[in-house]
PDB file of all heavy atoms in Angstrom:
ATOM      1  N   MET A   1     179.939 140.986  32.351  1.00  0.00           N
ATOM      2  CA  MET A   1     180.565 141.504  31.146  1.00  0.00           C
ATOM      3  C   MET A   1     179.567 142.408  30.401  1.00  0.00           C
ATOM      4  O   MET A   1     178.365 142.058  30.288  1.00  0.00           O
ATOM      5  CB  MET A   1     181.034 140.370  30.232  1.00  0.00           C
ATOM      6  CG  MET A   1     181.764 140.829  28.993  1.00  0.00           C
ATOM      7  SD  MET A   1     182.489 139.461  28.088  1.00  0.00           S
ATOM      8  CE  MET A   1     183.083 140.299  26.643  1.00  0.00           C
ATOM      9  N   LEU A   2     180.050 143.488  29.832  1.00  0.00           N
ATOM     10  CA  LEU A   2     179.158 144.417  29.143  1.00  0.00           C
ATOM     11  C   LEU A   2     178.643 143.872  27.857  1.00  0.00           C
ATOM     12  O   LEU A   2     179.388 143.349  27.024  1.00  0.00           O
ATOM     13  CB  LEU A   2     179.958 145.705  28.860  1.00  0.00           C
ATOM     14  CG  LEU A   2     179.145 146.968  28.479  1.00  0.00           C
ATOM     15  CD1 LEU A   2     178.321 147.424  29.709  1.00  0.00           C
ATOM     16  CD2 LEU A   2     180.071 148.106  28.058  1.00  0.00           C
ATOM     17  N   GLU A   3     177.319 143.930  27.644  1.00  0.00           N
ATOM     18  CA  GLU A   3     176.671 143.425  26.443  1.00  0.00           C
ATOM     19  C   GLU A   3     176.177 144.619  25.621  1.00  0.00           C
ATOM     20  O   GLU A   3     175.135 145.202  25.896  1.00  0.00           O
ATOM     21  CB  GLU A   3     175.535 142.506  26.809  1.00  0.00           C
ATOM     22  CG  GLU A   3     174.827 141.825  25.650  1.00  0.00           C
ATOM     23  CD  GLU A   3     173.672 140.973  26.025  1.00  0.00           C
ATOM     24  OE1 GLU A   3     173.461 140.723  27.240  1.00  0.00           O
ATOM     25  OE2 GLU A   3     172.908 140.554  25.103  1.00  0.00           O
ATOM     26  N   VAL A   4     176.948 144.983  24.576  1.00  0.00           N
ATOM     27  CA  VAL A   4     176.651 146.128  23.771  1.00  0.00           C
ATOM     28  C   VAL A   4     175.655 145.713  22.683  1.00  0.00           C
ATOM     29  O   VAL A   4     175.870 144.739  21.928  1.00  0.00           O
ATOM     30  CB  VAL A   4     177.914 146.713  23.087  1.00  0.00           C
ATOM     31  CG1 VAL A   4     177.560 147.881  22.178  1.00  0.00           C
ATOM     32  CG2 VAL A   4     178.911 147.198  24.219  1.00  0.00           C
ATOM     33  N   LEU A   5     174.558 146.423  22.592  1.00  0.00           N
ATOM     34  CA  LEU A   5     173.485 146.140  21.667  1.00  0.00           C
ATOM     35  C   LEU A   5     173.535 146.987  20.384  1.00  0.00           C
ATOM     36  O   LEU A   5     173.105 146.607  19.325  1.00  0.00           O
ATOM     37  CB  LEU A   5     172.085 146.326  22.318  1.00  0.00           C
ATOM     38  CG  LEU A   5     171.823 145.538  23.546  1.00  0.00           C
ATOM     39  CD1 LEU A   5     170.500 146.008  24.208  1.00  0.00           C
ATOM     40  CD2 LEU A   5     171.758 144.017  23.254  1.00  0.00           C
ATOM     41  N   TYR A   6     174.052 148.202  20.537  1.00  0.00           N
ATOM     42  CA  TYR A   6     174.136 149.166  19.424  1.00  0.00           C
ATOM     43  C   TYR A   6     175.228 150.171  19.716  1.00  0.00           C
ATOM     44  O   TYR A   6     175.384 150.570  20.890  1.00  0.00           O
ATOM     45  CB  TYR A   6     172.792 149.933  19.288  1.00  0.00           C
ATOM     46  CG  TYR A   6     172.769 150.914  18.139  1.00  0.00           C
ATOM     47  CD1 TYR A   6     172.297 150.574  16.847  1.00  0.00           C
ATOM     48  CD2 TYR A   6     173.194 152.205  18.335  1.00  0.00           C
ATOM     49  CE1 TYR A   6     172.291 151.491  15.840  1.00  0.00           C
ATOM     50  CE2 TYR A   6     173.202 153.153  17.292  1.00  0.00           C
ATOM     51  CZ  TYR A   6     172.747 152.750  16.059  1.00  0.00           C
ATOM     52  OH  TYR A   6     172.739 153.690  15.035  1.00  0.00           O
ATOM     53  N   GLU A   7     175.957 150.547  18.677  1.00  0.00           N
ATOM     54  CA  GLU A   7     177.009 151.538  18.908  1.00  0.00           C
ATOM     55  C   GLU A   7     177.338 152.278  17.603  1.00  0.00           C
ATOM     56  O   GLU A   7     177.469 151.680  16.572  1.00  0.00           O
ATOM     57  CB  GLU A   7     178.249 150.701  19.383  1.00  0.00           C
ATOM     58  CG  GLU A   7     179.461 151.565  19.753  1.00  0.00           C
ATOM     59  CD  GLU A   7     180.626 150.711  20.243  1.00  0.00           C
ATOM     60  OE1 GLU A   7     180.463 149.463  20.319  1.00  0.00           O
ATOM     61  OE2 GLU A   7     181.670 151.273  20.553  1.00  0.00           O
ATOM     62  N   ASP A   8     177.458 153.588  17.681  1.00  0.00           N
ATOM     63  CA  ASP A   8     178.025 154.370  16.608  1.00  0.00           C
ATOM     64  C   ASP A   8     178.695 155.594  17.226  1.00  0.00           C
ATOM     65  O   ASP A   8     178.938 155.642  18.420  1.00  0.00           O
ATOM     66  CB  ASP A   8     176.949 154.747  15.560  1.00  0.00           C
ATOM     67  CG  ASP A   8     175.841 155.657  16.073  1.00  0.00           C
ATOM     68  OD1 ASP A   8     176.033 156.302  17.143  1.00  0.00           O
ATOM     69  OD2 ASP A   8     174.785 155.761  15.475  1.00  0.00           O
ATOM     70  N   ASN A   9     179.024 156.608  16.418  1.00  0.00           N
ATOM     71  CA  ASN A   9     179.744 157.753  16.950  1.00  0.00           C
ATOM     72  C   ASN A   9     178.971 158.594  17.935  1.00  0.00           C
ATOM     73  O   ASN A   9     179.542 159.340  18.749  1.00  0.00           O
ATOM     74  CB  ASN A   9     180.197 158.694  15.786  1.00  0.00           C
ATOM     75  CG  ASN A   9     181.242 158.031  14.961  1.00  0.00           C
ATOM     76  OD1 ASN A   9     181.952 157.141  15.386  1.00  0.00           O
ATOM     77  ND2 ASN A   9     181.349 158.464  13.691  1.00  0.00           N
ATOM     78  N   HIS A  10     177.569 158.485  17.878  1.00  0.00           N
ATOM     79  CA  HIS A  10     176.764 159.333  18.754  1.00  0.00           C
ATOM     80  C   HIS A  10     176.045 158.576  19.848  1.00  0.00           C
ATOM     81  O   HIS A  10     175.615 159.195  20.828  1.00  0.00           O
ATOM     82  CB  HIS A  10     175.726 160.017  17.899  1.00  0.00           C
ATOM     83  CG  HIS A  10     176.332 161.067  16.975  1.00  0.00           C
ATOM     84  ND1 HIS A  10     176.579 162.404  17.410  1.00  0.00           N
ATOM     85  CD2 HIS A  10     176.713 161.023  15.683  1.00  0.00           C
ATOM     86  CE1 HIS A  10     177.112 163.076  16.381  1.00  0.00           C
ATOM     87  NE2 HIS A  10     177.175 162.264  15.339  1.00  0.00           N
ATOM     88  N   LEU A  11     175.898 157.276  19.708  1.00  0.00           N
ATOM     89  CA  LEU A  11     175.098 156.492  20.642  1.00  0.00           C
ATOM     90  C   LEU A  11     175.772 155.207  21.078  1.00  0.00           C
ATOM     91  O   LEU A  11     176.553 154.656  20.334  1.00  0.00           O
ATOM     92  CB  LEU A  11     173.753 156.097  20.019  1.00  0.00           C
ATOM     93  CG  LEU A  11     172.885 157.176  19.300  1.00  0.00           C
ATOM     94  CD1 LEU A  11     171.756 156.505  18.551  1.00  0.00           C
ATOM     95  CD2 LEU A  11     172.361 158.136  20.368  1.00  0.00           C
ATOM     96  N   ILE A  12     175.390 154.724  22.225  1.00  0.00           N
ATOM     97  CA  ILE A  12     175.716 153.383  22.606  1.00  0.00           C
ATOM     98  C   ILE A  12     174.561 152.822  23.495  1.00  0.00           C
ATOM     99  O   ILE A  12     174.083 153.541  24.334  1.00  0.00           O
ATOM    100  CB  ILE A  12     177.086 153.256  23.331  1.00  0.00           C
ATOM    101  CG1 ILE A  12     177.439 151.812  23.641  1.00  0.00           C
ATOM    102  CG2 ILE A  12     177.154 154.139  24.582  1.00  0.00           C
ATOM    103  CD1 ILE A  12     178.867 151.613  24.088  1.00  0.00           C
ATOM    104  N   ALA A  13     174.158 151.629  23.255  1.00  0.00           N
ATOM    105  CA  ALA A  13     173.131 150.988  24.031  1.00  0.00           C
ATOM    106  C   ALA A  13     173.591 149.645  24.501  1.00  0.00           C
ATOM    107  O   ALA A  13     174.281 148.927  23.787  1.00  0.00           O
ATOM    108  CB  ALA A  13     171.823 150.816  23.197  1.00  0.00           C
ATOM    109  N   VAL A  14     173.269 149.325  25.759  1.00  0.00           N
ATOM    110  CA  VAL A  14     173.707 148.083  26.349  1.00  0.00           C
ATOM    111  C   VAL A  14     172.549 147.383  27.013  1.00  0.00           C
ATOM    112  O   VAL A  14     171.485 147.945  27.249  1.00  0.00           O
ATOM    113  CB  VAL A  14     174.845 148.312  27.426  1.00  0.00           C
ATOM    114  CG1 VAL A  14     176.055 148.961  26.790  1.00  0.00           C
ATOM    115  CG2 VAL A  14     174.300 149.160  28.565  1.00  0.00           C
ATOM    116  N   ASN A  15     172.722 146.033  27.208  1.00  0.00           N
ATOM    117  CA  ASN A  15     171.730 145.216  27.857  1.00  0.00           C
ATOM    118  C   ASN A  15     172.054 145.163  29.364  1.00  0.00           C
ATOM    119  O   ASN A  15     172.952 144.462  29.734  1.00  0.00           O
ATOM    120  CB  ASN A  15     171.691 143.817  27.257  1.00  0.00           C
ATOM    121  CG  ASN A  15     170.457 143.050  27.655  1.00  0.00           C
ATOM    122  OD1 ASN A  15     169.589 143.533  28.355  1.00  0.00           O
ATOM    123  ND2 ASN A  15     170.386 141.792  27.141  1.00  0.00           N
ATOM    124  N   LYS A  16     171.316 145.942  30.150  1.00  0.00           N
ATOM    125  CA  LYS A  16     171.545 145.980  31.597  1.00  0.00           C
ATOM    126  C   LYS A  16     171.141 144.688  32.288  1.00  0.00           C
ATOM    127  O   LYS A  16     170.072 144.153  31.977  1.00  0.00           O
ATOM    128  CB  LYS A  16     170.810 147.174  32.161  1.00  0.00           C
ATOM    129  CG  LYS A  16     170.884 147.297  33.675  1.00  0.00           C
ATOM    130  CD  LYS A  16     169.954 148.437  34.117  1.00  0.00           C
ATOM    131  CE  LYS A  16     169.673 148.486  35.601  1.00  0.00           C
ATOM    132  NZ  LYS A  16     169.256 147.289  36.221  1.00  0.00           N
ATOM    133  N   HIS A  17     171.951 144.250  33.214  1.00  0.00           N
ATOM    134  CA  HIS A  17     171.582 143.089  33.999  1.00  0.00           C
ATOM    135  C   HIS A  17     170.806 143.530  35.249  1.00  0.00           C
ATOM    136  O   HIS A  17     171.093 144.652  35.803  1.00  0.00           O
ATOM    137  CB  HIS A  17     172.832 142.330  34.427  1.00  0.00           C
ATOM    138  CG  HIS A  17     173.661 141.838  33.311  1.00  0.00           C
ATOM    139  ND1 HIS A  17     174.994 142.079  33.197  1.00  0.00           N
ATOM    140  CD2 HIS A  17     173.307 141.162  32.178  1.00  0.00           C
ATOM    141  CE1 HIS A  17     175.492 141.575  32.087  1.00  0.00           C
ATOM    142  NE2 HIS A  17     174.472 141.016  31.450  1.00  0.00           N
ATOM    143  N   ALA A  18     169.852 142.736  35.726  1.00  0.00           N
ATOM    144  CA  ALA A  18     169.180 143.110  36.963  1.00  0.00           C
ATOM    145  C   ALA A  18     170.193 143.206  38.107  1.00  0.00           C
ATOM    146  O   ALA A  18     171.094 142.374  38.242  1.00  0.00           O
ATOM    147  CB  ALA A  18     168.149 142.012  37.274  1.00  0.00           C
ATOM    148  N   GLY A  19     170.075 144.296  38.851  1.00  0.00           N
ATOM    149  CA  GLY A  19     171.021 144.512  39.972  1.00  0.00           C
ATOM    150  C   GLY A  19     172.007 145.610  39.657  1.00  0.00           C
ATOM    151  O   GLY A  19     172.573 146.234  40.561  1.00  0.00           O
ATOM    152  N   ASP A  20     172.269 145.875  38.377  1.00  0.00           N
ATOM    153  CA  ASP A  20     173.176 147.005  37.978  1.00  0.00           C
ATOM    154  C   ASP A  20     172.435 148.329  38.238  1.00  0.00           C
ATOM    155  O   ASP A  20     171.178 148.410  37.977  1.00  0.00           O
ATOM    156  CB  ASP A  20     173.576 146.913  36.501  1.00  0.00           C
ATOM    157  CG  ASP A  20     174.477 145.755  36.196  1.00  0.00           C
ATOM    158  OD1 ASP A  20     175.022 145.155  37.180  1.00  0.00           O
ATOM    159  OD2 ASP A  20     174.652 145.407  35.025  1.00  0.00           O
ATOM    160  N   ILE A  21     173.189 149.369  38.617  1.00  0.00           N
ATOM    161  CA  ILE A  21     172.627 150.709  38.694  1.00  0.00           C
ATOM    162  C   ILE A  21     173.131 151.547  37.534  1.00  0.00           C
ATOM    163  O   ILE A  21     174.325 151.436  37.156  1.00  0.00           O
ATOM    164  CB  ILE A  21     172.870 151.421  40.036  1.00  0.00           C
ATOM    165  CG1 ILE A  21     174.407 151.393  40.393  1.00  0.00           C
ATOM    166  CG2 ILE A  21     172.058 150.792  41.129  1.00  0.00           C
ATOM    167  CD1 ILE A  21     174.707 152.239  41.611  1.00  0.00           C
ATOM    168  N   VAL A  22     172.309 152.354  36.934  1.00  0.00           N
ATOM    169  CA  VAL A  22     172.670 153.105  35.775  1.00  0.00           C
ATOM    170  C   VAL A  22     173.630 154.217  36.142  1.00  0.00           C
ATOM    171  O   VAL A  22     174.647 154.447  35.499  1.00  0.00           O
ATOM    172  CB  VAL A  22     171.418 153.656  35.038  1.00  0.00           C
ATOM    173  CG1 VAL A  22     171.815 154.568  33.871  1.00  0.00           C
ATOM    174  CG2 VAL A  22     170.536 152.515  34.553  1.00  0.00           C
ATOM    175  N   GLN A  23     173.294 154.979  37.188  1.00  0.00           N
ATOM    176  CA  GLN A  23     174.182 156.040  37.655  1.00  0.00           C
ATOM    177  C   GLN A  23     174.285 156.024  39.177  1.00  0.00           C
ATOM    178  O   GLN A  23     173.529 155.337  39.878  1.00  0.00           O
ATOM    179  CB  GLN A  23     173.664 157.406  37.173  1.00  0.00           C
ATOM    180  CG  GLN A  23     172.374 157.829  37.768  1.00  0.00           C
ATOM    181  CD  GLN A  23     171.919 159.203  37.300  1.00  0.00           C
ATOM    182  OE1 GLN A  23     170.766 159.457  37.021  1.00  0.00           O
ATOM    183  NE2 GLN A  23     172.866 160.149  37.191  1.00  0.00           N
ATOM    184  N   SER A  24     175.242 156.743  39.714  1.00  0.00           N
ATOM    185  CA  SER A  24     175.592 156.624  41.105  1.00  0.00           C
ATOM    186  C   SER A  24     174.388 157.005  42.024  1.00  0.00           C
ATOM    187  O   SER A  24     173.604 157.844  41.745  1.00  0.00           O
ATOM    188  CB  SER A  24     176.807 157.490  41.493  1.00  0.00           C
ATOM    189  OG  SER A  24     176.504 158.843  41.177  1.00  0.00           O
ATOM    190  N   ASP A  25     174.335 156.296  43.153  1.00  0.00           N
ATOM    191  CA  ASP A  25     173.335 156.616  44.137  1.00  0.00           C
ATOM    192  C   ASP A  25     173.993 156.541  45.525  1.00  0.00           C
ATOM    193  O   ASP A  25     175.211 156.425  45.650  1.00  0.00           O
ATOM    194  CB  ASP A  25     172.145 155.685  44.025  1.00  0.00           C
ATOM    195  CG  ASP A  25     172.482 154.216  44.328  1.00  0.00           C
ATOM    196  OD1 ASP A  25     173.641 153.934  44.694  1.00  0.00           O
ATOM    197  OD2 ASP A  25     171.612 153.317  44.204  1.00  0.00           O
ATOM    198  N   LYS A  26     173.174 156.541  46.582  1.00  0.00           N
ATOM    199  CA  LYS A  26     173.722 156.579  47.942  1.00  0.00           C
ATOM    200  C   LYS A  26     174.483 155.318  48.328  1.00  0.00           C
ATOM    201  O   LYS A  26     175.233 155.295  49.309  1.00  0.00           O
ATOM    202  CB  LYS A  26     172.636 156.812  48.938  1.00  0.00           C
ATOM    203  CG  LYS A  26     171.528 155.790  48.946  1.00  0.00           C
ATOM    204  CD  LYS A  26     170.345 156.176  49.873  1.00  0.00           C
ATOM    205  CE  LYS A  26     169.207 155.148  49.853  1.00  0.00           C
ATOM    206  NZ  LYS A  26     168.065 155.585  50.661  1.00  0.00           N
ATOM    207  N   THR A  27     174.304 154.207  47.560  1.00  0.00           N
ATOM    208  CA  THR A  27     175.029 152.980  47.879  1.00  0.00           C
ATOM    209  C   THR A  27     176.521 153.113  47.575  1.00  0.00           C
ATOM    210  O   THR A  27     177.378 152.412  48.172  1.00  0.00           O
ATOM    211  CB  THR A  27     174.477 151.782  47.103  1.00  0.00           C
ATOM    212  OG1 THR A  27     174.731 151.978  45.688  1.00  0.00           O
ATOM    213  CG2 THR A  27     173.004 151.590  47.353  1.00  0.00           C
TER     214      THR A  27
END
């Protein structure tokens, strides 16, 4: 489940879990 740490109209920050990838890769 997504854990949002900060959010406003311009930004959003989340707590990434080990194993998650931030953006797409060859997998």
